[in-house]
Amino acid sequence: VQLQASGGGLVQAGGSLRLSCAASGSIFTINAMRWYRRAPGKLRELVATITRGNLTDYVDSVKGRFTISRDNAKNTVYLQMNSLKPEDTAVYYCNADVVTGPLQYQHSYWGQGTQVTVSS
């Protein structure tokens, strides 16, 4: 199973970006999908989570600005980021709980990370 993240870049404060993360490989089903980020000199932070049933949760610092969504048919998770701030600058990683067969346990897989830089 591979997760391919894309959509990062350089944007001015107040701008928007949309991250995508597509899972491929031997996939039976995907349960929760998440976006994490790691800013320079800081620990990795869980930004947003979405369940297979589309229940969502966000870290307080992005509530009202970021929206996580998913397309189960495409095995893809998105992160729409609006009103970006310089403190959102980080490498963003996607994560997914993937079940590879009908009698298999889920395993956690990670994307390669995509850089988001917000200039002031």
Side-chain angles (χ1 to χ4, degrees), residues 14-69:
S16 298
L17 284 174
R18 189 191 194 209
L19 306 183
S20 299
C21 176
S24 61
S26 180
I27 298 171
F28 179 72
T29 192
I30 301 177
N31 292 324
M33 304 183 83
R34 306 172 187 87
W35 287 99
Y36 287 81
R37 65 186 179 187
R38 176 172 285 163
K42 295 187 177 181
L43 297 175
R44 185 178 64 193
E45 177 182 47
L46 175 59
V47 176
T49 302
I50 186 167
T51 68
R52 183 165 180 80
N54 288 318
L55 296 177
T56 60
D57 192 30
Y58 301 91
V59 67
D60 285 346
S61 60
V62 308
K63 285 180 179 177
R65 299 189 298 122
F66 290 10
T67 302
I68 189 170
S69 61

Side-chain angles (χ1 to χ4, degrees), residues 64-91:
R65 299 189 298 122
F66 290 10
T67 302
I68 189 170
S69 61
R70 63 191 287 171
D71 184 332
N72 291 331
K74 296 181 179 180
N75 292 326
T76 299
V77 62
Y78 306 96
L79 187 67
Q80 178 67 44
M81 304 185 294
N82 299 329
S83 302
L84 281 161
K85 304 175 181 180
E87 50 264 42
D88 294 318
T89 295
V91 178

